[in-house]
């Protein structure tokens, strides 16, 4: 059976990239949603490129090595973001901003750094 789904970075011959096709459709819907409630964006970079979300709390996961340098977590990225998602839905509080999302993550034992609406979950390499 041939592959039936396309990854966000897929390119079909003679067609525009998926972001060019989806962005005009997704962005108005995502903007409307984010105007009404806090959105925590756990998508990978390529999927986030399909439609930006104004004001969203964006999350990345980095592995910190013994020498202090950091690298992007790829294989276990979803697992770490899933841990954050579980902490958020299990929390008695409903975070209203990035600082509150970071606080929930810290209570769940995660090492989180915040820069504005950008959260970085730091895990050992």
């Amino acid at each position: 059976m041939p592959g039936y789904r396309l990854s966000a970075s897929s390119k079909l011959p003679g067609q525009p990239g998926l972001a060019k096709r989806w962005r005009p459709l997704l962005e108005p819907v995502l903007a409307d949603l984010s105007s009404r409630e806090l959105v925590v964006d756990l998508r990978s970079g390529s999927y986030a490129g399909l439609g930006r979300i104004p004001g969203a709390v964006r999350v990345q996961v980095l592995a910190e090595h013994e020498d202090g340098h950091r690298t992007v977590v790829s294989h276990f990225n979803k697992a770490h973001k899933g841990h954050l998602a579980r902490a958020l839905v299990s929390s008695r509080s409903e975070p209203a901003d990035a600082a509150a999302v970071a606080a929930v993550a810290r209570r769940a034992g995660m090492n989180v750094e915040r820069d504005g609406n950008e959260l970085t979950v730091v895990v050992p390499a």
Side-chain angles (χ1 to χ4, degrees), residues 3 17 23 28 35 37 42 45 47 64 74 86 88 91 111 116 125:
R23 193 174 292 138
S35 73
E37 59 188 283
L42 300 173
Y47 286 98
E64 187 166 63
S74 56
R86 174 173 281 217
L88 289 168
S91 175
N111 179 10

Side-chain angles (χ1 to χ4, degrees), residues 39-43 48 53-60 98 115-120:
V39 175
V40 179
D41 190 353
L42 300 173
R43 300 173 296 167
I53 307 172
V57 176
R58 290 172 298 283
V59 179
Q60 70 172 335
D115 182 11
N117 274 359
E118 305 281 335
L119 297 184
T120 301

Side-chain angles (χ1 to χ4, degrees), residues 75-89:
H75 185 72
F76 289 106
N77 188 27
K78 286 181 186 177
H80 293 293
K81 288 179 177 178
H83 185 199
L84 175 57
R86 174 173 281 217
L88 289 168
V89 300

Side-chain angles (χ1 to χ4, degrees), residues 11-23:
K11 300 238 188 235
L12 297 174
Q15 298 292 316
L18 292 181
K20 190 169 189 168
R21 182 174 299 273
W22 280 104
R23 193 174 292 138

